[in-house]
Amino acid sequence: MDETPRITKPIVDGREVSMEEALTATAAILKANNSLLWRGSGNVGVMQEVSDLLMEQTGGILTKGSLCDGAGAAGIEEGRGVNKTLPLEQIEKSEVVVIWGRNVTVTNAHMMPYLEGKKLVVIDPVRTEIAKKADLFLQIAPGTDYYVALMLSRLILMEDREVKVRMDEFAPEYEDLYDFSREHHTKAILQDMEIDLDDLGRLLNYLYNRKVVFLIGVGVQKYTTGSYALHAIDSLAANLGMFGREGCGVSYLGDSKLGFENPFKTSCKRVSKVDTAFSDFDTVLVQGGNPAESMPDSNRVRKELEGVDNLIYFGLHENETSKMARIVIPAKSFLEKEDVRLSYGHQYVTPMKKVVDSEVGISEYDFTKAMFETLGLNGLESEEYYINTWLSQCKEMNGELVSPVYEAVPYSEGFGADGDDAFKFIKDHSDNFINTKRITKYRKQRKNKSEAEMLWLVSPKSRGTINTQFKRDSRIRLNPVLGFKDGEKVKACSEYGEYLFEVKCSEDLRTDIALITSNTVGLNFLTPSVISEEGESACYQEVKISIERV
């Protein structure tokens, strides 16, 4: 894999300039109206958002939605009301851990010590490293997570009287879930999932009368119906009485800002981050992101970016977006500035002190301060003020700072913002199983290809990278049964575009999927710029592709 070079010099109109000159040119452009700030994902430092205050003062536009976890978060909020983080200590106290669409050895290596001595169940279309160590592995078809969860809930409600008695207290609508599950044709669903009732029975044996934790990955919700998958999994957990109990719970990407008063909150107008119409704006400031490569449907995105008069890139690394920019401003790394780190995976809040002095780049705060001063704007507080505002809201636990809404056992008092609501089970699913929208759409547009020739695209994260940052790949992974060999050059095609990749064979993949990690150059020429039904989220895996030798 190739490492991405760091940007060390500001650039204006193709020539290296001083930081002062680059900031002056940026301020002159931002004076005009009709500007957009598009910020990348994956950075959980709070100070990155200080530039929102600049947009508010200049009449600029911000984005809404997510390229990562929005659909799943919406599904969780449908059932629980709020998306609280499951403390790591509850994983440690569990007896069984179900790892569902989550490659923990790659994305959550810090969790591995908490899994020692546990019974492990893995549900995934890919035989990951953790799946090879599991006590039970179900290699389900892509996009069928909703149906797996729903069928398990149905079986539980058919058989377990103790579950029904327990749920009368905190989730009295469980009968509605049972009635809803009966609307689905079991035989057809099992055939589509490519598992049988025996598989589900073996899985249920690990879930009954145990302390169980679900670790859910974002891959299960990279579809238009992604919210339903998480809501169905949460409904299954509620059926099992997993909420509000020691050693139990569901861990997804929690709402890291839950309970905080955000000093960077603004009333700016917002547009979608998923299918942004960049060419509608005279000026686009891209901060810490790479939309030309990381947004879905790269053909559309690059055409849109080419229509922007003033594209400004503010970030650490050279990438496809920085190469298109009129102005390039190098940023500071975490080691070179003050910040506060939140987490969507645990409750701890970490003050991040500057540990390295560097002449390269400028921090988000100093960039915003320079814009305020140059443009004669008022209202920006000191950097220390903002950092202390975040830290002062935290609780202290055993000498460490934790989220203001931290609970040792989340939802022990109930659900909703005030903890006085019941769990709300899933009662609706807009995708008809027999005639799913994504398959129908695909068949209509790809009549020249049979269904058997097409592969579901799976796009997980890779080790040591954050999407297109740090290291880049060029490979597509395929099961060797498909007839391709290591090192072969192939063209992957979808209705949105095509790109050339090098084959890497793996027997760990199902024969109906192609795996391209999110740091791979060209991945998003294949993906759709469609938005999830709930949560305003990207749907990277709502697509099938064909593979051709070149």
Side-chain angles (χ1 to χ4, degrees):
M1 289 193 287
D2 298 324
E3 295 199 12
T4 54
R6 183 171 179 181
I7 297 170
T8 58
K9 299 289 185 181
I11 296 172
V12 176
D13 292 327
R15 62 184 183 90
E16 292 186 359
V17 298
S18 67
M19 181 64 76
E20 182 180 3
E21 185 174 346
L23 294 175
T24 300
T26 299
I29 291 172
L30 290 177
K31 266 186 180 181
N33 289 325
N34 199 28
S35 61
L36 170 72
L37 170 60
W38 194 98
R39 183 182 296 111
S41 303
N43 181 342
V44 286
V46 298
M47 290 304 294
Q48 64 176 331
E49 291 187 9
V50 68
S51 50
D52 288 4
L53 302 179
L54 172 62
M55 290 293 106
E56 184 174 50
Q57 289 284 329
T58 59
I61 308 297
L62 301 176
T63 61
K64 60 182 178 179
S66 169
L67 298 184
C68 183
D69 63 319
I76 285 174
E77 290 168 4
E78 282 289 320
R80 307 185 214 169
V82 290
N83 183 10
K84 296 180 180 179
T85 301
L86 183 71
L88 295 172
E89 292 79 5
Q90 297 307 324
I91 302 174
E92 187 174 31
K93 294 175 182 178
S94 68
E95 298 168 338
V96 177
V97 177
V98 179
I99 302 170
W100 200 325
R102 191 165 180 168
N103 193 359
V104 292
T105 58
V106 170
T107 59
N108 306 107
H110 67 284
M111 286 187 175
M112 293 305 293
Y114 297 94
L115 304 184
E116 292 181 6
K118 315 296 183 192
K119 293 292 184 181
L120 296 180
V121 176
V122 176
I123 304 172
D124 204 297
V126 180
R127 188 181 298 274
T128 59
E129 290 304 310
I130 197 69
K132 296 174 184 177
K133 303 174 183 178
D135 296 278
L136 177 65
F137 172 48
L138 295 185
Q139 194 165 17
I140 64 172
T144 62
D145 309 271
Y146 161 83
Y147 298 106
V148 174
L150 193 67
M151 289 299 99
L152 288 169
S153 285
R154 183 174 178 178
L155 292 174
I156 290 169
L157 291 169
M158 286 172 61
E159 298 178 4
D160 197 328
R161 294 180 181 178
E162 291 183 11
V163 166
K164 295 178 182 180
V165 171
R166 184 170 63 241
M167 288 198 300
D168 280 330
E169 297 182 21
F170 73 97
E173 296 181 353
Y174 66 88
E175 290 288 1
D176 292 337
L177 174 65
Y178 180 62
D179 291 339
F180 173 61
S181 71
R182 293 175 64 191
E183 297 174 8
H184 296 68
H185 195 285
T186 302
K187 184 176 181 180
I189 288 174
L190 291 172
Q191 183 177 0
D192 187 70
M193 292 189 301
E194 297 185 13
I195 58 178
D196 57 32
L197 285 174
D198 289 339
D199 293 321
L200 296 182
R202 282 190 288 271
L203 175 53
L204 285 175
N205 285 335
Y206 284 95
L207 305 183
Y208 278 133
N209 302 314
R210 307 273 188 100
K211 292 181 178 181
V212 181
V213 163
F214 289 171
L215 304 182
I216 313 299
V218 297
V220 305
Q221 54 90 69
K222 291 184 178 182
Y223 306 92
T224 53
T225 57
S227 64
Y228 302 105
L230 263 294
H231 196 183
I233 293 171
D234 254 13
S235 295
L236 169 62
N239 265 332
L240 291 164
M242 288 169 52
F243 291 113
R245 290 176 57 203
E246 285 274 357
C248 300
V250 179
S251 173
Y252 180 62
L253 278 65
D255 182 354
S256 61
K257 294 188 179 72
L258 186 64
F260 283 101
E261 289 290 331
N262 187 346
F264 306 135
K265 184 178 180 180
T266 72
S267 57
C268 292
K269 181 181 176 183
R270 294 176 182 263
V271 297
S272 175
K273 178 178 277 190
V274 179
D275 65 349
T276 315
F278 292 106
S279 63
D280 287 350
F281 300 92
D282 297 325
T283 299
V284 173
L285 170 59
V286 174
Q287 177 188 320
N290 183 16
E293 186 72 13
S294 62
M295 282 180 73
D297 197 357
S298 294
N299 281 316
R300 186 201 69 84
V301 173
R302 295 190 186 193
K303 184 177 179 180
E304 286 285 332
L305 289 172
E306 288 168 357
V308 177
D309 291 336
N310 302 301
L311 179 60
I312 305 168
Y313 177 80
F314 176 29
L316 279 171
H317 299 282
E318 292 181 17
N319 57 39
E320 290 79 2
T321 305
S322 69
K323 293 173 185 176
M324 299 178 69
R326 179 184 169 193
I327 299 177
V328 177
I329 299 174
K332 294 282 190 190
S333 73
F334 274 128
L335 300 177
E336 300 162 353
K337 63 181 180 180
E338 303 285 327
D339 212 327
V340 176
R341 187 180 188 278
L342 308 181
S343 174
Y344 45 68
H346 57 70
Q347 68 271 25
Y348 298 103
V349 177
T350 309
M352 301 188 71
K353 300 294 185 181
K354 183 173 73 171
V355 297
V356 175
D357 288 318
S358 174
E359 297 297 320
V360 174
I362 187 170
S363 70
E364 292 90 348
Y365 178 82
D366 287 338
F367 169 80
T368 303
K369 182 180 179 182
M371 294 299 102
F372 266 70
E373 292 176 348
T374 304
L375 295 172
L377 305 175
N378 298 313
L380 187 69
E381 303 287 352
S382 69
E383 182 178 45
E384 182 181 16
Y385 168 85
Y386 291 120
I387 288 176
N388 287 339
T389 296
W390 286 98
L391 295 178
S392 64
Q393 297 180 69
C394 297
K395 296 179 181 179
E396 188 170 335
M397 183 182 71
N398 300 325
E400 296 188 81
L401 297 176
V402 297
S403 162
V405 294
Y406 165 73
E407 296 175 347
V409 184
Y411 308 104
S412 56
E413 300 298 320
F415 300 92
D418 299 322
D420 55 2
D421 292 336
F423 183 87
K424 296 179 181 177
F425 288 100
I426 189 167
K427 299 178 183 178
D428 185 33
H429 183 230
S430 66
D431 236 0
N432 182 283
F433 172 72
I434 298 174
N435 188 22
T436 60
K437 287 185 294 184
R438 57 181 176 267
I439 297 295
T440 302
K441 180 179 179 182
Y442 163 75
R443 283 176 176 164
K444 287 180 179 178
Q445 297 186 359
R446 301 288 301 193
K447 292 180 180 178
N448 59 321
K449 290 284 185 180
S450 71
E451 184 71 15
E453 292 177 287
M454 308 295 286
L455 305 175
W456 285 111
L457 177 61
V458 177
S459 55
K461 297 190 184 300
S462 62
R463 195 184 308 275
T465 71
I466 302 178
N467 299 323
T468 63
Q469 292 187 69
F470 308 125
K471 296 179 181 180
R472 305 300 298 277
D473 206 340
S474 61
R475 294 172 294 179
I476 183 171
R477 289 162 174 82
L478 303 169
N479 191 302
V481 169
L482 298 174
F484 297 97
K485 297 180 180 179
D486 282 345
E488 267 193 278
K489 299 295 183 182
V490 296
K491 180 170 68 174
C493 306
S494 77
E495 62 189 86
Y496 308 99
E498 58 188 40
Y499 206 80
L500 298 179
F501 300 95
E502 179 182 320
V503 172
K504 173 66 176 177
C505 289
S506 173
E507 294 182 348
D508 296 330
L509 307 182
R510 289 172 54 97
T511 58
D512 58 355
I513 69 173
L515 188 150
I516 307 176
T517 54
S518 62
N519 68 322
T520 302
V521 177
L523 161 65
N524 286 313
F525 283 98
L526 308 174
T527 56
S529 56
V530 296
I531 300 175
S532 60
E533 294 181 12
E534 303 290 341
E536 192 93 26
S537 193
C539 306
Y540 289 101
Q541 295 180 177
E542 184 106 344
V543 64
K544 278 195 164 187
I545 65 175
S546 61
I547 309 295
E548 303 172 6
R549 288 186 170 86
V550 294

